[in-house]
């Protein structure tokens, strides 16, 4: 993959690591509550659920890093797979949880997918 494609994939991986930290470790803090628009009570009640979601974001990040560092054709294939997974997860989240997810998750995944596909 090209340098631009690799950097795009790694940037998206970093975003998912950040979400992992927010959901797994900072869910009940003011920072995470502001990011997700939750109340203190809701955050306390859903802490375990959020940690589970954070773990899934970590798996997405790990797959994106794998795709970015692996040699082609595996790197390309893994990157495309995980970018599509992120985009689909964002579509589902936008449809079920909130439209904001479309712009935070799906759009960045599709933007990163463009240089990956162009580099192949």
């Amino acid at each position: 993959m090209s340098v631009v494609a690799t950097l795009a994939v790694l940037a998206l991986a970093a975003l998912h690591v950040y979400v992992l930290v927010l959901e797994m470790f900072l869910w009940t803090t003011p920072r995470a509550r502001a990011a997700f628009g939750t109340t203190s009570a809701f955050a306390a009640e859903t802490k375990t659920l959020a940690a589970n979601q954070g773990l899934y974001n970590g798996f997405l990040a790990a797959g994106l890093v794998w795709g970015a560092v692996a040699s082609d054709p595996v790197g390309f294939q893994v990157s495309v797979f995980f970018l599509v997974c992120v985009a689909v997860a964002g579509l589902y989240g936008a449809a079920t949880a909130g439209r904001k997810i479309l712009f935070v998750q799906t759009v960045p995944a599709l933007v990163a997918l463009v240089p990956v596909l162009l580099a192949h």
Side-chain angles (χ1 to χ4, degrees):
M1 284 194 311
S2 72
V3 172
V4 172
T6 301
L7 290 176
V9 172
L10 289 174
L12 192 62
L15 174 64
H16 281 275
V17 168
Y18 177 66
V19 174
L20 172 149
V21 171
L22 284 176
E23 291 177 338
M24 290 191 80
F25 306 111
L26 303 176
W27 184 249
T28 58
T29 67
R31 180 181 206 161
R33 289 195 330 265
F36 293 100
T38 61
T39 65
S40 181
F42 179 82
E45 291 173 14
T46 59
K47 188 174 180 177
T48 302
L49 179 64
N52 189 28
Q53 288 179 184
L55 185 62
Y56 282 93
N57 277 291
F59 291 140
L60 290 172
L64 291 166
V65 170
W66 175 26
V69 301
S71 310
D72 286 333
V74 172
F76 169 76
Q77 294 165 342
V78 170
S79 292
V80 169
F81 175 79
F82 278 96
L83 289 168
V84 171
C85 286
V86 170
V88 170
L91 287 172
Y92 184 79
T96 59
R99 190 173 159 163
K100 178 182 172 184
I101 297 171
L102 186 69
F103 301 102
V104 174
Q105 192 167 353
T106 302
V107 170
L110 295 176
V111 167
L113 187 59
V114 170
V116 170
L117 294 174
L118 291 174
H120 188 50

